[in-house]
Amino acid sequence: MTSPISADQVAQYLRDTPGFFEANAELLASITVPHPHGGRAVSLVERQVDLLRDKNKALEMRLAELLRIGQENDAIAGKLQHWTRELLRTRDVQALPDRVVSGMTEDFSVPQVALRIWGVAPAHAGLPVAAEVEPEVHTLADSVRQPYCGPNAEFKAATWLTGGGAQTRSIALLSMRVGAAPEAFGLLVLGSPDPARFQAGMGTAFLERIAEIASAALSRLLAD
């Protein structure tokens, strides 16, 4: 007795014989399959058209998402450029910390921002930004090699934020460094009551640029 042909064998035969339906066009037109969104049967050609239509819709949605991301990145790049330009135009060295902070709130709409730096020159020791910080903050800043984003895990630095950080649900920590120095000389803290504003796993490319630019500007306050 001849063994029945399996579905896999039929599929393999059709893959190995690409001209089968071209040679048997009447068969292609007569085959019907169940419609995925109803009980009626449709021709195989119509089903293929539906599959292509669904694939095109998925590609259009993906393209729209890529365009949206590109537009958002362009907008952020423009804000970064404006903020950087304002720092470069600041001649008063002691005004730089305020420029860094105001840029975060005005250009990037970050609702909560705080900044501390240490090791400043004696002439700048009276600035609010040079207020003494706890040793654990120094340790934290040294350990943050890339911007930290995530929930506010009761960081001591979060208490610098508005309301002592009581309403801060997500936070970003950006260490200030001179070049690739292992030790940090400051910490820029960005906070938000929105838990989704700074999420673990989010892209940090722009935050890294912000940290580098702020570090370069604020290093002018350091003691030689």
Side-chain angles (χ1 to χ4, degrees):
M1 180 180 293
T2 304
S3 300
I5 300 175
S6 68
D8 288 341
Q9 288 174 313
V10 173
Q12 187 60 51
Y13 173 78
L14 293 176
R15 280 193 291 267
D16 295 340
T17 315
F20 176 81
F21 284 114
E22 183 177 353
N24 300 272
E26 73 287 350
L27 178 62
L28 178 62
S30 65
I31 295 176
T32 59
V33 295
H35 194 278
H37 305 301
R40 67 187 181 90
V42 296
S43 70
L44 185 59
V45 173
E46 185 177 351
R47 179 68 181 115
Q48 288 177 315
V49 171
D50 285 340
L51 288 173
L52 288 173
R53 186 180 294 115
D54 291 342
K55 184 178 292 186
N56 284 339
K57 286 182 179 179
L59 290 174
E60 288 174 359
M61 293 178 62
R62 177 57 178 160
L63 178 59
E65 177 67 8
L66 291 174
L67 289 174
R68 182 190 65 80
I69 293 173
Q71 290 171 348
E72 289 181 354
N73 286 342
D74 284 344
I76 294 174
K79 294 175 181 179
L80 184 63
Q81 182 181 30
H82 177 266
W83 176 69
T84 304
R85 184 170 61 246
E86 291 303 305
L87 288 177
L88 291 173
R89 293 175 58 185
T90 301
R91 296 184 178 182
D92 182 1
V93 175
Q94 294 198 352
L96 284 170
D98 287 341
R99 288 289 187 183
V100 169
V101 171
S102 64
M104 294 298 100
T105 56
E106 296 170 8
D107 291 331
F108 296 96
S109 302
V110 179
Q112 303 171 345
V113 185
L115 173 67
R116 295 288 188 278
I117 58 177
W118 44 88
V120 300
H124 312 309
L127 292 174
V129 74
E132 186 176 355
V133 301
E134 297 82 352
E136 65 188 85
V137 173
H138 288 251
T139 302
L140 173 65
D142 288 345
S143 68
V144 177
R145 304 301 303 182
Q146 291 184 326
Y148 165 86
C149 296
N152 177 17
E154 298 184 357
F155 292 107
K156 181 69 69 173
T159 61
W160 305 341
L161 299 171
T162 303
Q167 302 302 317
T168 304
R169 295 294 174 264
S170 63
I171 199 168
L173 303 175
L174 286 66
S175 291
M176 304 290 99
R177 283 187 169 83
V178 177
E183 302 86 8
F185 70 82
L187 190 65
L188 177 62
V189 183
L190 311 178
S192 173
D194 180 3
R197 179 65 187 270
F198 302 108
Q199 301 182 54
M202 68 181 290
T204 60
F206 281 109
L207 291 177
E208 290 175 24
R209 301 291 85 77
I210 288 173
E212 292 172 359
I213 294 167
S215 294
L218 295 172
S219 65
R220 297 168 61 191
L221 293 164
L222 300 179
D224 293 335

